[in-house]
Amino acid sequence: MARLRRNVAGNTLAMAAAALIPLIAAVGGAVDMSRYYMATARLQAACDAGALAARKKMGDNVWEDDDRLHGLTFFDQNYPDEMFGLENLSRNYTADSNGTVTGTATGQLPTTLMQVFDFGQLGLSVECSAEINISNTDIMFVLDVTGSMNCVANDASCVNNGEVEASGSKIDGLRTAVIAFYDAVDGATSDTAQVRYGILPYSQNINVGRDIPTSYMASSMEHQSREAIWDISYEATQISFTVDSVWNRGADEYWYYWWNPNSTPGISTFAQCEAAANNSTLGFTDDYIDDSLQDATITIVSEEISGSTRTTVLTGRGRFTKANPVAWWSPCYTDLEYYRYYADFQATVVDEVQEVRRFDRWEYKNVTRDISTLYTNNTLAFETGSNGALSTQSWDGCILEADTVAATSFDPVPSGAYDLDINLIPSTEAEKWKPQFPNITLRRRSGGSYTNATTSNHGYYDNNGNLRSVSVARPYYRCPKAAQRLTAMSRSEMQNYISEANGFTAAGSTYHDMGMIWGARYISPRGIFSASNATAPNGDAIGRHIVFMTDGMMSTSNDSLTAYGMEWWDQRISGNGNGSTSSTNHSARFQAACKQARQENISVWVVAFGTSLTQNLTDCATPGRAFHASNSTELEDKFEEIAERIAALRLTQ
């Protein structure tokens, strides 16, 4: 035994055998822990996928078993049975009243080498949750409220239903869809987020005037109207007549007569008799012109009216008389000696005058009017009433657009097309917006055809010298409900705004470009509303979205009153009054406005309701965000889908 103890041959094998046990523990632990972490990560990913899928399927905050099964299906697709050898897998999803979906998954992972050390299984457990939650978001509804919205979807025979809502009308379906959209977003809004809504109803006009600062509204305007032509004269009461100078005096005529003022009380001396003669109404000692110029031929040199006083300088040749009373005592008589002559003279006449205007006729033309005082109470009086009487006109808020150019291409937008600048901040009259006065805007015809000539109610002469008659009429005009600027709105406030009883009704023609131009202006972080749009109170970024809904293609009119006037007469879009050219150019302008909105990082969502999704509408939308809804139910579904996509689906754990 002693020799064996001193013999070290073969010790390495024993030591290696002894070291094998801890080596197995180290390697086995690494392998099994690696499997554990990989299985846990995959289990977590599957849980997350199922939670997201279940929350999206849930839609609103009502949790149903179908939503749970949908989440489990996604879990199973991401974690197949027995992956990594996992046993006793259990997974489930639930949701709370706030719409947050919570998931759990557990299982047992058998070990490999660690079983040598009596570690047979590793327990796995993960949790996940998902919610729809949005941060700062601005949503601008641009809603078609043209006459066809009174009809039922897909009723091809209905044009505007007499501008009365049919039962089950598209505009009523729109109201339901807007509230569904609101509910979807409201249920996903975080407590610290700012979510604002704006609403712009549009047809052939847009009612935005009350939101435009008055400094950006014009002080004068031109529009097709009528102007009273007056016959002006003056009624005068003479204050004074002064002969300034006399020259070229002619020969004198002499005569006299005498009279006896002895009956005058108090005359007892010659001096008293002489004084009575000099004070006589016939006793002038200075030259005077006879008969108030009745015998004079006069020429007006100058005339000036200041207030109610008219001062006239005149020259002429008139008859003058000089009277020389001579008193003599017997006891009191007077000789009145007269010298009459003709002479040239200059005189100054001062009259109190009153202007007298007598209505003569109307002239129908493009009239320029001063409107600088309109914006204090939104009313002005114009001489457009019967026989030129003052007629008070009220402004309803619909506007005439800023100056533009009649172009066909808007890439880039041509210089001078101020109306297509969604960030326009006006500084000149050409850039400013103007009010509309439909009651005194007139279209005119001659011989049954439209005419752009200046005409009168007496008729007018054409280029061939022929007297032509003229007829005038007010144009078709509709002004939608006033737009709503971006603001935090409650559900009841939203319902109140879009209710029929509060004026959210349908009428008029379809001008998509006007809707998009002003929808973009209302939401842009720049432009006239930048002070309230650029930043949010919490300082976080703002997501901006335009939801543009229409039930028809562009439909323009040449003789209706729109935000661009009456096209046949004003020719602001077509350049020649051609209706087809006007419609084509309006469509091109629509695309220009859509492009500007997208360039401001505004997501443009377009929904074609009860009409085809045309290429023009598709091209307006941000890629992948154009939709078609054939009826009210589908419109509600599309609005909810847009709301859910705006409200970003996210994991919360």
PDB file of all heavy atoms in Angstrom, residues 65-76:
ATOM      1  N   ASP A  65     -65.592  36.339 -27.557  1.00  0.00           N
ATOM      2  CA  ASP A  65     -64.787  35.119 -27.628  1.00  0.00           C
ATOM      3  C   ASP A  65     -64.090  34.980 -28.978  1.00  0.00           C
ATOM      4  O   ASP A  65     -62.994  34.425 -29.048  1.00  0.00           O
ATOM      5  CB  ASP A  65     -65.669  33.895 -27.361  1.00  0.00           C
ATOM      6  CG  ASP A  65     -64.824  32.670 -27.031  1.00  0.00           C
ATOM      7  OD1 ASP A  65     -63.957  32.769 -26.125  1.00  0.00           O
ATOM      8  OD2 ASP A  65     -65.016  31.629 -27.683  1.00  0.00           O
ATOM      9  N   ASP A  66     -64.714  35.500 -30.035  1.00  0.00           N
ATOM     10  CA  ASP A  66     -64.064  35.456 -31.347  1.00  0.00           C
ATOM     11  C   ASP A  66     -62.747  36.214 -31.334  1.00  0.00           C
ATOM     12  O   ASP A  66     -61.784  35.833 -32.011  1.00  0.00           O
ATOM     13  CB  ASP A  66     -64.984  36.047 -32.416  1.00  0.00           C
ATOM     14  CG  ASP A  66     -66.076  35.072 -32.835  1.00  0.00           C
ATOM     15  OD1 ASP A  66     -65.975  33.884 -32.470  1.00  0.00           O
ATOM     16  OD2 ASP A  66     -67.015  35.513 -33.527  1.00  0.00           O
ATOM     17  N   ASP A  67     -62.709  37.305 -30.584  1.00  0.00           N
ATOM     18  CA  ASP A  67     -61.476  38.080 -30.485  1.00  0.00           C
ATOM     19  C   ASP A  67     -60.387  37.250 -29.797  1.00  0.00           C
ATOM     20  O   ASP A  67     -59.223  37.248 -30.210  1.00  0.00           O
ATOM     21  CB  ASP A  67     -61.727  39.376 -29.700  1.00  0.00           C
ATOM     22  CG  ASP A  67     -62.850  40.201 -30.312  1.00  0.00           C
ATOM     23  OD1 ASP A  67     -62.958  40.225 -31.553  1.00  0.00           O
ATOM     24  OD2 ASP A  67     -63.598  40.828 -29.545  1.00  0.00           O
ATOM     25  N   ARG A  68     -60.778  36.515 -28.709  1.00  0.00           N
ATOM     26  CA  ARG A  68     -59.813  35.670 -27.995  1.00  0.00           C
ATOM     27  C   ARG A  68     -59.288  34.560 -28.903  1.00  0.00           C
ATOM     28  O   ARG A  68     -58.083  34.307 -28.961  1.00  0.00           O
ATOM     29  CB  ARG A  68     -60.482  35.074 -26.752  1.00  0.00           C
ATOM     30  CG  ARG A  68     -59.533  34.262 -25.850  1.00  0.00           C
ATOM     31  CD  ARG A  68     -60.285  33.673 -24.671  1.00  0.00           C
ATOM     32  NE  ARG A  68     -61.202  32.625 -25.099  1.00  0.00           N
ATOM     33  CZ  ARG A  68     -60.830  31.344 -25.271  1.00  0.00           C
ATOM     34  NH1 ARG A  68     -59.579  30.966 -25.048  1.00  0.00           N
ATOM     35  NH2 ARG A  68     -61.711  30.449 -25.659  1.00  0.00           N
ATOM     36  N   LEU A  69     -60.184  33.919 -29.648  1.00  0.00           N
ATOM     37  CA  LEU A  69     -59.765  32.831 -30.536  1.00  0.00           C
ATOM     38  C   LEU A  69     -58.860  33.353 -31.646  1.00  0.00           C
ATOM     39  O   LEU A  69     -57.925  32.663 -32.074  1.00  0.00           O
ATOM     40  CB  LEU A  69     -60.991  32.141 -31.131  1.00  0.00           C
ATOM     41  CG  LEU A  69     -61.886  31.390 -30.125  1.00  0.00           C
ATOM     42  CD1 LEU A  69     -63.126  30.845 -30.824  1.00  0.00           C
ATOM     43  CD2 LEU A  69     -61.100  30.259 -29.456  1.00  0.00           C
ATOM     44  N   HIS A  70     -59.136  34.579 -32.089  1.00  0.00           N
ATOM     45  CA  HIS A  70     -58.289  35.175 -33.134  1.00  0.00           C
ATOM     46  C   HIS A  70     -56.867  35.363 -32.604  1.00  0.00           C
ATOM     47  O   HIS A  70     -55.882  35.083 -33.300  1.00  0.00           O
ATOM     48  CB  HIS A  70     -58.887  36.523 -33.561  1.00  0.00           C
ATOM     49  CG  HIS A  70     -58.269  37.093 -34.806  1.00  0.00           C
ATOM     50  ND1 HIS A  70     -58.433  36.532 -36.060  1.00  0.00           N
ATOM     51  CD2 HIS A  70     -57.458  38.176 -34.973  1.00  0.00           C
ATOM     52  CE1 HIS A  70     -57.779  37.259 -36.948  1.00  0.00           C
ATOM     53  NE2 HIS A  70     -57.170  38.258 -36.311  1.00  0.00           N
ATOM     54  N   GLY A  71     -56.757  35.799 -31.352  1.00  0.00           N
ATOM     55  CA  GLY A  71     -55.436  35.967 -30.755  1.00  0.00           C
ATOM     56  C   GLY A  71     -54.720  34.634 -30.577  1.00  0.00           C
ATOM     57  O   GLY A  71     -53.500  34.531 -30.823  1.00  0.00           O
ATOM     58  N   LEU A  72     -55.474  33.594 -30.144  1.00  0.00           N
ATOM     59  CA  LEU A  72     -54.863  32.274 -29.957  1.00  0.00           C
ATOM     60  C   LEU A  72     -54.359  31.702 -31.275  1.00  0.00           C
ATOM     61  O   LEU A  72     -53.310  31.042 -31.323  1.00  0.00           O
ATOM     62  CB  LEU A  72     -55.878  31.323 -29.322  1.00  0.00           C
ATOM     63  CG  LEU A  72     -56.302  31.654 -27.884  1.00  0.00           C
ATOM     64  CD1 LEU A  72     -57.366  30.678 -27.402  1.00  0.00           C
ATOM     65  CD2 LEU A  72     -55.102  31.653 -26.938  1.00  0.00           C
ATOM     66  N   THR A  73     -55.094  31.965 -32.351  1.00  0.00           N
ATOM     67  CA  THR A  73     -54.665  31.470 -33.668  1.00  0.00           C
ATOM     68  C   THR A  73     -53.322  32.075 -34.049  1.00  0.00           C
ATOM     69  O   THR A  73     -52.413  31.377 -34.532  1.00  0.00           O
ATOM     70  CB  THR A  73     -55.723  31.805 -34.729  1.00  0.00           C
ATOM     71  OG1 THR A  73     -56.946  31.145 -34.393  1.00  0.00           O
ATOM     72  CG2 THR A  73     -55.275  31.346 -36.102  1.00  0.00           C
ATOM     73  N   PHE A  74     -53.195  33.386 -33.836  1.00  0.00           N
ATOM     74  CA  PHE A  74     -51.928  34.034 -34.156  1.00  0.00           C
ATOM     75  C   PHE A  74     -50.805  33.537 -33.251  1.00  0.00           C
ATOM     76  O   PHE A  74     -49.654  33.400 -33.677  1.00  0.00           O
ATOM     77  CB  PHE A  74     -52.069  35.566 -34.049  1.00  0.00           C
ATOM     78  CG  PHE A  74     -52.437  36.217 -35.341  1.00  0.00           C
ATOM     79  CD1 PHE A  74     -53.730  36.135 -35.829  1.00  0.00           C
ATOM     80  CD2 PHE A  74     -51.482  36.902 -36.099  1.00  0.00           C
ATOM     81  CE1 PHE A  74     -54.083  36.717 -37.023  1.00  0.00           C
ATOM     82  CE2 PHE A  74     -51.827  37.491 -37.295  1.00  0.00           C
ATOM     83  CZ  PHE A  74     -53.128  37.405 -37.770  1.00  0.00           C
ATOM     84  N   PHE A  75     -51.135  33.263 -31.974  1.00  0.00           N
ATOM     85  CA  PHE A  75     -50.124  32.709 -31.066  1.00  0.00           C
ATOM     86  C   PHE A  75     -49.619  31.379 -31.614  1.00  0.00           C
ATOM     87  O   PHE A  75     -48.400  31.142 -31.684  1.00  0.00           O
ATOM     88  CB  PHE A  75     -50.723  32.522 -29.672  1.00  0.00           C
ATOM     89  CG  PHE A  75     -49.751  31.989 -28.664  1.00  0.00           C
ATOM     90  CD1 PHE A  75     -49.110  32.834 -27.784  1.00  0.00           C
ATOM     91  CD2 PHE A  75     -49.440  30.622 -28.600  1.00  0.00           C
ATOM     92  CE1 PHE A  75     -48.187  32.342 -26.857  1.00  0.00           C
ATOM     93  CE2 PHE A  75     -48.530  30.130 -27.685  1.00  0.00           C
ATOM     94  CZ  PHE A  75     -47.898  30.997 -26.815  1.00  0.00           C
ATOM     95  N   ASP A  76     -50.537  30.498 -31.991  1.00  0.00           N
ATOM     96  CA  ASP A  76     -50.155  29.156 -32.446  1.00  0.00           C
ATOM     97  C   ASP A  76     -49.347  29.197 -33.735  1.00  0.00           C
ATOM     98  O   ASP A  76     -48.476  28.343 -33.961  1.00  0.00           O
ATOM     99  CB  ASP A  76     -51.406  28.300 -32.638  1.00  0.00           C
ATOM    100  CG  ASP A  76     -52.115  28.009 -31.318  1.00  0.00           C
ATOM    101  OD1 ASP A  76     -51.470  28.156 -30.260  1.00  0.00           O
ATOM    102  OD2 ASP A  76     -53.313  27.665 -31.355  1.00  0.00           O
TER     103      ASP A  76
END
